[in-house]
Amino acid sequence: MVALQESMDDADLERLRADLAERVGSTRSAGLVLDVSALDVMDSFSTRMLLGIVNVAELRGADAVIVGIQPDVAFAMVQLGITLEGVHTALDLEEGLVLLAQRRRKRAR
Amino acid sequence: MTEVRVPVTHESDVVVVRREVRTLASTLGFSSGELAVIATAVSEIARNIVVYAKRGEVVLSLVENGARKGVRVVARDYGPGIPDLSLAMKDGWSTAKGLGLGLPGARRLMDEFDVVSEVGKGTIVTMTKWSR
């Protein structure tokens, strides 16, 4: 589980992406939850960075889910034109973990 | 007249601009949803400065038009300028690391939007959100 901070800039996110790609392997993580509930804005740049983190984690074999997009943030993202196609999102950490468990079961079948 | 001037040269300045515009706009009684919309538009435009121009500033002010009050954002940079504005205003068009939503997205988020750009000199984006 990784919680993103409001003050994180692109350089921090890039470091996070590299760090997570490595740690998904070293900890043999099956799932990654990205908690963005602290973010008051998700513009196109931070969204692109976030999608990059999700893609890298999934290529490394972990399921990734984004949780905690705030209602106001979601509203602004829609107006901006951002769509998170192909990305799994959930309301909060709890729902995110349920989603990961479901995906894991589906994979095992 | 209240005016807040924020130099933008680094990504961390984008966070500062977002915070400043929220503070200023909240004095006009915008809803939290509208504040997020304004902060998102301002974030896009300030990011454009950092990504494309490296150096510029954002000036935030309160404006009035009759009984209406609003927040105005002027983003000025001294970058390469935009050669083809109509292309830059298209959804999905990007030359750098965005999603290509910057200018058209910001226009959707705000009530008024204007961009003037001169190649080799820079770009000025002016946008306004009126309080309901």
Side-chain angles (χ1 to χ4, degrees), chain B residues 8-123:
Chain B
V8 176
T9 55
H10 188 264
E11 283 161 19
S12 58
D13 297 325
V14 177
V15 179
V16 177
V17 178
R18 285 208 299 249
R19 200 167 51 220
E20 292 290 345
V21 80
R22 265 179 185 277
T23 305
L24 190 64
S26 61
T27 64
L28 296 183
F30 282 107
S31 69
S32 68
E34 287 169 323
L35 289 176
V37 161
I38 296 166
T40 303
V42 169
S43 189
E44 286 291 331
I45 297 307
R47 290 248 202 204
N48 276 350
I49 296 180
V50 177
V51 172
Y52 295 101
K54 317 284 181 218
R55 192 169 60 90
E57 63 171 4
V58 175
V59 181
L60 310 166
S61 58
L62 297 177
V63 288
E64 282 181 31
N65 181 3
R68 288 206 303 178
K69 290 181 193 317
V71 61
R72 176 156 297 158
V73 180
V74 180
R76 190 178 285 114
D77 72 55
Y78 310 99
I82 305 168
D84 190 341
L85 259 183
S86 60
L87 201 55
M89 289 306 297
K90 263 192 204 152
D91 272 322
W93 174 261
S94 178
T95 55
K97 50 179 180 172
L99 290 169
L101 295 168
L103 292 177
R107 179 165 66 178
R108 275 195 293 275
L109 292 169
M110 302 296 275
D111 294 324
E112 287 170 24
F113 184 94
D114 182 55
V115 49
V116 181
S117 188
E118 201 174 331
V119 173
K121 292 215 164 147
T123 302

Side-chain angles (χ1 to χ4, degrees), chain A residues 7 16-18 23 32-33 38 60 79 86-87 93 96 99 102:
Chain A
S7 55
L16 181 66
R17 177 164 63 189
R23 277 206 284 174
L32 171 67
V33 179
R60 294 280 286 156
Q79 282 198 43
V87 174
L93 177 58
L99 185 63
Q102 282 170 353

Side-chain angles (χ1 to χ4, degrees), chain A:
Chain A
M1 210 284 283
V2 178
L4 276 75
Q5 301 302 312
E6 191 235 339
S7 55
M8 286 178 111
D9 61 22
D10 286 356
D12 295 328
L13 289 173
E14 251 162 60
R15 264 194 301 277
L16 181 66
R17 177 164 63 189
D19 186 39
L20 285 175
E22 198 276 319
R23 277 206 284 174
V24 162
S26 64
T27 62
R28 305 219 152 262
S29 305
L32 171 67
V33 179
L34 288 163
D35 183 351
V36 298
S37 56
L39 303 186
D40 69 330
V41 162
M42 280 178 68
D43 64 15
S44 64
F45 294 86
S46 45
T47 300
R48 187 171 189 263
M49 197 63 77
L50 205 58
L51 293 179
I53 292 174
V54 168
N55 289 340
V56 165
E58 300 216 325
L59 284 172
R60 294 280 286 156
D63 290 327
V65 55
I66 296 172
V67 304
I69 298 179
Q70 294 301 297
D72 291 342
V73 174
F75 177 67
M77 287 172 77
V78 170
Q79 282 198 43
L80 187 60
I82 290 173
T83 52
L84 293 178
E85 271 163 54
V87 174
H88 295 267
T89 56
L91 191 60
D92 52 24
L93 177 58
E94 204 180 338
E95 296 288 331
L97 290 173
V98 170
L99 185 63
L100 283 181
Q102 282 170 353
R103 289 176 70 189
R104 192 142 201 214
R105 274 198 301 275
K106 241 181 231 165
R107 268 195 193 209
R109 255 186 239 145

